[in-house]
Amino acid sequence: MTSSDKPGNASDAAPAAPTSVAALDWASASADPQYRAAVVDLLGALAYGELAAFERLAEDAKLAPTLEDKAELAKMASAEFHHFERLRDRLAEIGEEPTRAMEPFVGAYDGFHKQTAPSDWLEGLVKAYVGDSIASDFYREVAARLDSDTRGLVLAVLDDTGHGGFAVEKVRAAIDADPRVGGRLALWARRLMGEALSQSQRVVADRDALSTMLVGGVADGFDLAEVGRMFSRITEAHTKRMAALGLAA
């Protein structure tokens, strides 16, 4: 994931204070089977997301206009795969089969990537910057409600891989060279935002443990009003990122 130090990180908007679950470690919190199921889902979704990000960045490298750009994307892809390995290993450590934990999320991620296949290098950069950042913002919001061990892991794998600054630099340079590019990329980014939110809502609706965590049924999860505020913060962060790219939201 790639949003930790980018403009408009949703965490800048001060999500709700951590709840009592955040004061527990995994051994204590996981005694609740529903909480455990929600965390397994969360780690499975994150793990497949990181694996998909690795594959996408490696594929995007083929569109890179220079060898320097190819090398930069390869480095970022390597970082994403390392994040995947950490999540995979954690699932195994807590007694869960990683592939089984990831499988429920394959369709949603693959569907998103199929619907949003970039047509060129610049669209690929915007997709990574916008799409990954929306996902990272969502997971950061959820992390505030997790036990200390799981929260630490989730925040660690959301560390910036450098893609944010790289994308901003390249996209802004392209717009400076040809201002017409900005309009096309702005429309593309709006489409990405819509698809990302649609897929995330579908995933949550399909996974009872995750949806229960979000609306407050697992320990101290979000209430419905807080869910609305959370998505408002994510949307606000998206608008700031668009501005950083030099695009209209």
Side-chain angles (χ1 to χ4, degrees), residues 32 56 74 104 107 113 129 167 196 215 249:
D32 179 345
R56 189 192 66 244
H113 291 306
Y129 182 60
V215 299

Side-chain angles (χ1 to χ4, degrees), residues 32 34 211-222:
D32 179 345
Q34 196 169 30
S211 60
T212 302
M213 173 185 279
L214 285 174
V215 299
V218 174
D220 300 304
F222 296 110

Side-chain angles (χ1 to χ4, degrees), residues 3-237:
S3 73
S4 63
D5 65 357
K6 289 181 278 193
N9 189 336
S11 61
D12 294 342
T19 57
S20 59
V21 172
L24 302 177
D25 60 12
W26 169 251
S28 300
S30 62
D32 179 345
Q34 196 169 30
Y35 175 79
R36 179 187 177 91
V39 169
V40 170
D41 270 355
L42 187 67
L43 296 183
L46 263 172
Y48 190 72
E50 295 290 350
L51 184 59
F54 159 73
E55 293 178 323
R56 189 192 66 244
L57 285 170
E59 190 68 21
D60 287 351
K62 298 177 182 178
L63 300 172
T66 70
L67 287 175
E68 182 181 4
D69 291 336
K70 287 180 184 290
E72 189 67 24
L73 285 187
K75 181 175 71 174
M76 295 173 192
S78 176
E80 300 286 13
F81 191 76
H82 178 61
H83 291 164
F84 160 73
E85 290 180 313
R86 291 190 64 179
L87 291 159
R88 178 200 62 194
D89 293 348
R90 177 57 176 167
L91 282 163
E93 182 183 342
I94 64 174
E96 300 291 334
E97 206 288 306
T99 300
R100 187 178 303 117
M102 290 188 289
E103 280 175 348
F105 308 100
V106 171
Y109 273 104
D110 288 358
F112 171 74
H113 291 306
K114 183 178 180 180
Q115 292 293 326
T116 58
S119 62
D120 61 20
W121 160 249
L122 291 173
E123 286 189 2
L125 289 178
V126 171
K127 178 180 176 179
Y129 182 60
V130 171
D132 284 0
S133 296
I134 293 168
S136 291
D137 286 345
F138 173 77
Y139 289 125
R140 285 179 183 281
E141 293 274 357
V142 174
R145 269 65 185 180
L146 299 174
D147 65 273
S148 58
D149 296 320
T150 305
R151 183 172 66 253
L153 173 62
V154 168
L155 294 178
V157 300
L158 296 178
D159 276 350
D160 186 52
T161 61
H163 203 110
F166 181 76
V168 169
E169 177 188 351
K170 298 296 181 180
V171 171
R172 291 190 76 97
I175 293 172
D176 288 343
D178 181 0
R180 294 173 300 178
V181 169
R184 173 172 67 86
L185 293 180
L187 289 173
W188 172 244
R190 291 186 200 115
R191 178 183 169 192
L192 291 169
M193 177 68 168
E195 290 286 347
L197 290 178
S198 176
Q199 289 290 357
S200 63
Q201 290 167 352
R202 190 171 302 130
V203 167
V204 170
D206 288 345
R207 304 300 295 177
D208 290 342
L210 275 180
S211 60
T212 302
M213 173 185 279
L214 285 174
V215 299
V218 174
D220 300 304
F222 296 110
D223 59 27
L224 287 173
E226 178 56 25
V227 171
R229 290 190 289 271
M230 176 188 73
F231 280 106
S232 293
R233 288 191 292 269
I234 291 173
T235 301
E236 181 182 352

